[in-house]
Amino acid sequence: MNFHVVILCVAALICFAVEVAVGSSPCADGTLTCTIKGKELLEAAAAAGDEEAQEAQVSMLQFKAKLRDRGETSQAPATVPMTIGASVKFTDVSDQKYIFLLSEEKVYDGQTLQDATVGVKWPAEPAFKNDALWAFGSPSASSLYVWSVGTHAMCLQYADTLMGLADSGFWVLCPAISYDFSIAEWVLKSVVAVDWALAQGNFSKIMLGGHSGGGPAALSSGYILSQRKVEVSGFVLQHPGAVPSLNVPGCASNAHTAESKAYCDQFFPVAMLGSLTGPILVTCGTFCQVTQADNSNYYHAFSSSAAWMKNPSDCMTDTVCEDVFDTFVRTKPPIAPPLGGGTLYKHCGEHEFSVMGPYGWQQEGVPAVQPFLQAVATGDQAKMAVVKSRDGVEGTCWMQKSPEDSSLKLASMQEATMQYMSQNQRSLW
């Protein structure tokens, strides 16, 4: 089977079409044979009548047009819907009740969660509000979804997907995380967000999700909530980062510091997954496998790692698709498996671009996250079957070639526009 994967590398002004010959799965080890075709070859193939090339070209042009239209509204206030097709607003809803709940949670050194985080300033965003709680949609929704950001990420970087989900009938909350955060903050802020939300509405289903390290944090939040007799009906782990000494079940045995061991004992005990009754969706990209490692925005940072070069997965370490699925779903003794099982969604996306911004909504939000959450919320197994049917099949993936994630920086902390969507970048599209 042959198919085309198109990757848009804006900063370098290069569009690549990748033709991949695969065996049973595009993510199976040792089955990828990749060649890079330049923009000119793609255009020539389309002109010669190659239907796959024509479809790839049309898809690329349509998506560029949508992003260009979005750029027209980059100066709009935060209350204006920024997501393609969304009709919801987002706002910071942190109030005295939320702050009080933060002050009720204790962290490792005896401080309250509020005291330990509110004074930690972001180097590039000193005005960033560490105790913000971003809400998307309406508390009258029947289902609640609480999102945990990745390392050094901000909630509005995920606004496209979070607004898209709110537009689908979920009330979505995202607690801000401080720059110099602890595992306790990562885990407990989502717990506090759920506690706070339960005083605002009546939800038939509660679901948690997170990106990168926020994925394991979401599972731990579910574990803590289960101890407090709050049932979490489902989990979404988008490109989860599994660090054996920090955020996997039983990590205390590998912890490097007393603080890490204490957090592992509290938040990631051996039995934690066995308390989770809701199904788990794990999404993972294969960008570096589908093309080549030196196309990664993180190549300069990780190219000296033999393990990363051998299996770079979605361009980040500790996010290898099968490995993270084995770590959090398909576990082996003594780690108890989650009672609700799980689903793996592999595709051609990159670690950050296939989760954040409009890329994220298109590449993982619509095909995987939205139908999974809808299946959990409604019990519609047909939607769950749709997600499973899309695992490891052909697709069109997008990213901007840039130093690490620099182009994903927000234009301001009060709006969902990223640097690559700003007015002075529009000519590149």
Side-chain angles (χ1 to χ4, degrees):
M1 176 177 68
N2 291 329
F3 61 84
H4 289 280
V5 178
V6 177
I7 298 164
L8 181 64
C9 301
V10 179
L13 293 178
I14 300 173
C15 294
F16 295 117
V18 182
E19 185 175 0
V20 185
V22 302
S24 60
S25 166
C27 305
D29 292 341
T31 62
L32 298 178
T33 304
C34 308
T35 57
I36 305 296
K37 291 185 177 181
K39 179 181 177 182
E40 295 77 10
L41 291 180
L42 173 64
E43 292 176 341
D50 186 319
E51 292 183 359
E52 290 178 321
Q54 290 172 345
E55 291 176 1
Q57 194 174 44
V58 169
S59 176
M60 179 174 63
L61 293 173
Q62 287 176 340
F63 195 58
K64 285 167 61 178
K66 289 181 179 180
L67 290 175
R68 187 182 302 112
D69 291 342
R70 179 186 166 116
E72 296 286 347
T73 62
S74 62
Q75 302 305 314
T79 54
V80 174
M82 303 292 286
T83 275
I84 299 168
S87 59
V88 298
K89 298 179 180 180
F90 57 86
T91 185
D92 174 12
V93 295
S94 58
D95 56 14
Q96 290 185 346
K97 174 66 174 177
Y98 178 67
I99 302 303
F100 172 77
L101 291 172
L102 291 177
S103 68
E104 288 291 288
E105 298 287 350
K106 295 294 193 295
V107 295
Y108 172 71
D109 57 5
Q111 294 185 56
T112 71
L113 186 58
Q114 174 69 359
D115 291 339
T117 63
V118 70
V120 182
K121 302 299 183 183
W122 284 60
E125 295 279 353
F128 182 78
K129 188 179 175 185
N130 286 328
D131 53 9
L133 179 64
W134 291 97
F136 304 77
S138 169
S140 63
S142 61
S143 296
L144 173 69
Y145 183 58
V146 178
W147 175 253
S148 180
V149 300
T151 303
H152 295 163
M154 297 183 179
C155 291
L156 296 190
Q157 290 176 298
Y158 305 94
D160 289 84
T161 293
L162 302 186
M163 284 192 290
L165 294 174
D167 201 37
S168 304
F170 298 91
W171 193 34
V172 183
L173 297 178
C174 179
I177 300 295
S178 61
Y179 184 81
D180 189 18
F181 62 91
S182 67
I183 291 295
E185 181 181 358
W186 227 349
V187 173
L188 292 176
K189 276 194 170 175
S190 288
V191 172
V192 169
V194 171
D195 288 343
W196 179 87
L198 290 176
Q200 317 298 319
N202 183 23
F203 308 102
S204 61
K205 301 287 184 180
I206 298 172
M207 288 156 279
L208 305 178
H211 171 223
S212 195
L219 291 179
S220 181
S221 300
Y223 164 68
I224 298 298
L225 285 167
S226 71
Q227 292 185 315
R228 301 181 184 185
K229 309 305 179 184
V230 177
E231 182 180 359
V232 178
S233 300
F235 300 86
V236 174
L237 280 59
Q238 293 187 249
H239 305 248
V243 183
S245 62
L246 192 67
N247 65 356
V248 303
C251 60
S253 61
N254 295 308
H256 301 316
T257 67
E259 181 178 1
S260 294
K261 185 179 185 305
Y263 283 149
C264 284
D265 285 334
Q266 181 179 1
F267 299 121
F268 293 96
V270 169
M272 64 164 290
L273 293 175
S275 68
L276 306 181
T277 58
I280 300 171
L281 170 66
V282 176
T283 73
C284 190
T286 59
F287 173 72
C288 289
Q289 293 178 344
V290 172
T291 60
Q292 52 193 16
D294 54 7
N295 278 334
S296 166
N297 288 339
Y298 287 83
Y299 180 76
H300 69 286
F302 293 131
S303 57
S304 61
S305 167
W308 184 83
M309 290 298 292
K310 181 179 179 180
N311 194 352
S313 190
D314 58 6
C315 307
M316 295 289 285
T317 57
D318 300 308
T319 60
V320 180
C321 297
E322 300 296 337
D323 287 355
V324 294
F325 196 71
D326 288 344
T327 299
F328 298 115
V329 178
R330 200 167 46 207
T331 63
K332 296 180 180 179
I335 306 301
L339 298 177
T343 297
L344 180 61
Y345 174 73
K346 302 183 297 290
H347 71 118
C348 56
E350 191 264 351
H351 184 78
E352 292 175 317
F353 279 87
S354 61
V355 184
M356 294 179 170
Y359 290 134
W361 178 234
Q362 186 205 43
Q363 292 182 40
E364 291 188 13
V366 172
V369 177
Q370 182 185 51
F372 175 84
L373 290 176
Q374 289 175 330
V376 173
T378 65
D380 186 351
Q381 291 306 305
K383 291 186 180 296
M384 191 72 75
V386 167
V387 179
K388 294 179 179 180
S389 72
R390 290 171 174 168
D391 175 35
V393 301
E394 74 173 85
T396 300
C397 290
W398 309 84
M399 68 168 290
Q400 181 182 16
K401 194 68 175 174
S402 63
E404 299 187 4
D405 58 0
S406 59
S407 62
L408 293 172
K409 181 181 178 181
L410 295 173
S412 85
M413 65 183 216
Q414 295 297 327
E415 61 177 286
T417 302
M418 295 181 183
Q419 189 176 70
Y420 71 83
M421 292 178 249
S422 63
Q423 296 284 346
N424 61 1
Q425 293 281 333
R426 250 185 293 157
S427 61
L428 298 179
W429 300 97

